[in-house]
């Protein structure tokens, strides 16, 4: 069963500081990993999506990296601003799992 | 488009009461899902639907029922509320299950069960 952990649970930094958020997952057979932002009392907004074949994605001051072999992803936020204050969530999509198959033989 | 809407925004229930959390989307999305969010546990999938008339269980389905009679609506029913169901509930939708990455989330329903 895939477990996804984010440490620390809370973080406080002064404005302007660069920071890194961590995400760890136990099953490396992932399809992709996505970082979301959640503002208080609101739903989730997607920030960055990293496919399993990629190592990083960038959007503005945000950079997300993915290391499947170690089961880790990081979200780097450069020059933090008060508007960055929110809850950040990572989510992994597990690769499709195939069944064992059924061999069908149609006889004459 | 209104996107994904949820009602109510906040609800207080007594143990044993039943209620329905409403979710609607006007984007003609086939895939809809319900999550609950609890402190320190991220979002957990309760139920999902890949289209009208089709629903399936997620990670934590016990105590919840869903139905999908139309593409637009995906209500979540609590048959007999328990304090363990105190949580924030999010509904989400996407064009298809394969397009999970582009899910749109509703604003959430905060539920308190006493």
């Amino acid at each position: 069963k895939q477990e996804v952990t984010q440490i620390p649970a809370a973080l406080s930094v002064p404005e302007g500081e660069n920071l890194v958020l961590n995400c760890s997952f136990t099953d490396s057979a992932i399809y992709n990993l996505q970082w979301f932002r959640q503002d208080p009392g609101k739903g989730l907004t997607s920030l960055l999506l990293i496919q399993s074949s990629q190592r990083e994605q960038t959007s503005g001051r945000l950079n997300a990296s993915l290391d499947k072999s170690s089961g880790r992803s990081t979200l780097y936020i450069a020059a933090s601003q008060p508007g960055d204050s929110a809850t950040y969530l990572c989510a992994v999509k597990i690769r499709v799992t195939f069944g064992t198959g059924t061999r069908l033989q149609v006889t004459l | 488009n209104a996107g994904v809407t949820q009602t109510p925004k906040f609800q207080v229930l007594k143990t044993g009461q039943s209620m329905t959390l409403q979710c609607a989307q006007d984007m003609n999305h086939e895939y809809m899902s319900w999550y609950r969010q609890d402190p320190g546990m991220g979002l957990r999938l309760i139920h999902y639907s890949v289209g009208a008339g089709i629903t399936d269980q997620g990670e934590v389905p016990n105590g919840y029922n869903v139905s999908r009679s139309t593409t637009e609506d995906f209500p979540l029913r609590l048959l007999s509320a328990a304090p363990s169901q105190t949580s924030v509930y999010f509904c989400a939708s996407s064009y298809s299950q394969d397009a999970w990455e582009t899910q749109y989330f509703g604003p959430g329903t905060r539920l308190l069960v006493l």
Side-chain angles (χ1 to χ4, degrees), chain B residues 2 6 13 27 32 34 36 42 50 52 58 60-61 73-74 83 98-99 103 105:
Chain B
Q6 290 184 238
L13 291 178
M27 297 172 282
M32 297 185 73
W34 276 102
R36 61 176 288 173
V50 297
V60 287
D73 302 297
F74 190 43
D98 291 339
Q103 281 189 108
F105 284 83

Side-chain angles (χ1 to χ4, degrees), chain A residues 1 31-32 34 36 38 41-44 49 89 91 93, chain B residues 37 42-43 59 90 97-102 105-107:
Chain A
K1 178 175 177 289
Y31 189 69
N32 58 43
Q34 196 166 6
F36 292 89
Q38 183 180 28
K42 300 293 179 62
L44 276 66
L49 170 67
L89 294 156
K93 182 177 180 180
Chain B
Q37 184 178 37
L43 271 69
E59 182 183 356
F90 288 99
Q97 190 174 19
D98 291 339
W100 181 93
E101 297 81 359
T102 54
F105 284 83

Side-chain angles (χ1 to χ4, degrees), chain B residues 3-16:
Chain B
V4 180
T5 59
Q6 290 184 238
T7 57
K9 291 184 178 180
F10 182 74
Q11 182 72 47
V12 179
L13 291 178
K14 294 182 180 179
T15 297

Side-chain angles (χ1 to χ4, degrees), chain B residues 1 12 14 21-22 30 40-42 53 58 61-62 64 76 92-93 95 98 105 112:
Chain B
N1 287 350
V12 179
K14 294 182 180 179
L21 280 63
Q22 301 292 344
E30 291 294 327
M41 302 189 75
N62 293 340
Y64 307 95
L76 178 71
S93 75
Y95 180 73
D98 291 339
F105 284 83
L112 175 62

Side-chain angles (χ1 to χ4, degrees), chain A residues 40-93:
Chain A
K42 300 293 179 62
L44 276 66
T45 302
S46 177
L47 296 174
L48 289 165
L49 170 67
I50 310 178
Q51 300 294 345
S52 64
S53 59
Q54 299 174 319
R55 294 194 64 84
E56 66 175 345
Q57 281 284 343
T58 299
S59 175
R61 294 182 294 108
L62 305 179
N63 176 275
S65 68
L66 175 63
D67 184 345
K68 287 195 306 176
S69 60
S70 66
R72 293 180 183 178
S73 175
T74 61
L75 178 66
Y76 174 82
I77 302 178
S80 59
Q81 302 172 357
D84 295 330
S85 299
T87 297
Y88 290 82
L89 294 156
C90 66
V92 297
K93 182 177 180 180

Side-chain angles (χ1 to χ4, degrees), chain B residues 14-63:
Chain B
K14 294 182 180 179
T15 297
Q17 284 185 314
S18 63
M19 79 159 295
T20 300
L21 280 63
Q22 301 292 344
C23 174
Q25 51 86 15
D26 61 356
M27 297 172 282
N28 202 33
H29 284 173
E30 291 294 327
Y31 183 77
M32 297 185 73
S33 55
W34 276 102
Y35 296 88
R36 61 176 288 173
Q37 184 178 37
D38 302 293
M41 302 189 75
L43 271 69
R44 292 183 291 171
L45 182 64
I46 305 172
H47 284 286
Y48 66 94
S49 168
V50 297
I54 306 170
T55 64
D56 206 345
Q57 297 180 347
E59 182 183 356
V60 287
N62 293 340

